[in-house]
Amino acid sequence: MSVPGPYQAAPGPSSVPTAPPSYEETVGVNSYIPTHPAPVPGPTTGLMTGPDGKGANPPLYYTQPVPVLNPSANTTAVQTVFVQQPVSFFDRPVQMCCPSCNKMVVTKLSYNAGVLTWLSCGSLCLLGCVLGCCFIPFCVDALQDVDHYCPNCKALLGTYKRL
Ligand SMILES: [Zn+2]
């Protein structure tokens, strides 16, 4: 008799997550209504549902000088946006736009001892190669981390780690 009814949860409220609190944002822009509704100054009870719509009869008794935004402000905000893709670094030079000098460069590689280098060193020591052979991984580029530098401004652009 007690049907659990899982199908009721299927068409759940997963759609339209931010529908209702839209008028609070529009009210917050004008900033003539405090966030706390308790200290309402005087006969403004009808105003609670008033500024819901944008052109729904603005109250005339609120004739305070609202600072009008400068209409020419949105015309000066012209900027070039570089949509830069996330660059994945490997053990080879990468052509990318340097975020430091904003130029298309091919990264310069620099090998440094990383985790894999020290693990290889330790492994060689355990195997008995203690007569300097354990330092071979520090000379093998394939066992070291790779730092990508900008050849123009010498900025560190990224690091490729073996492990
Ligand atoms: Zn650069």
Side-chain angles (χ1 to χ4, degrees):
M1 292 302 290
S2 65
V3 179
Y7 54 88
Q8 292 179 355
S14 63
S15 64
V16 191
T18 60
S22 62
Y23 73 100
E24 293 180 354
E25 295 178 356
T26 59
V27 171
V29 172
N30 293 326
S31 71
Y32 58 84
I33 291 182
T35 57
H36 297 285
V40 176
T44 59
T45 57
L47 194 73
M48 295 304 290
T49 58
D52 193 3
K54 292 181 180 179
N57 293 324
L60 296 177
Y61 47 87
Y62 260 99
T63 59
Q64 59 181 354
V66 177
V68 180
L69 295 176
N70 193 5
S72 65
N74 54 2
T75 60
T76 59
V78 176
Q79 61 182 357
T80 58
V81 177
F82 288 99
V83 180
Q84 183 165 357
Q85 299 176 355
V87 179
S88 60
F89 296 100
F90 294 101
D91 56 347
R92 59 190 63 186
V94 177
Q95 183 179 4
M96 61 175 290
C97 180
C98 176
S100 180
C101 59
N102 291 322
K103 289 183 180 179
M104 289 300 295
V105 296
V106 177
T107 59
K108 182 180 179 181
L109 302 184
S110 177
Y111 294 95
N112 294 318
V115 178
L116 183 61
T117 311
W118 287 100
L119 286 178
S120 301
C121 177
S123 298
L124 289 176
C125 289
L126 292 177
L127 291 176
C129 300
V130 294
L131 297 178
C133 296
C134 61
F135 296 107
I136 288 177
F138 292 94
C139 299
V140 179
D141 293 338
L143 295 177
Q144 299 187 32
D145 293 341
V146 182
D147 291 334
H148 291 260
Y149 289 95
C150 172
N152 189 18
C153 62
K154 305 297 186 298
L156 179 61
L157 301 179
T159 303
Y160 169 68
K161 294 185 179 300
R162 301 289 179 180
L163 292 176

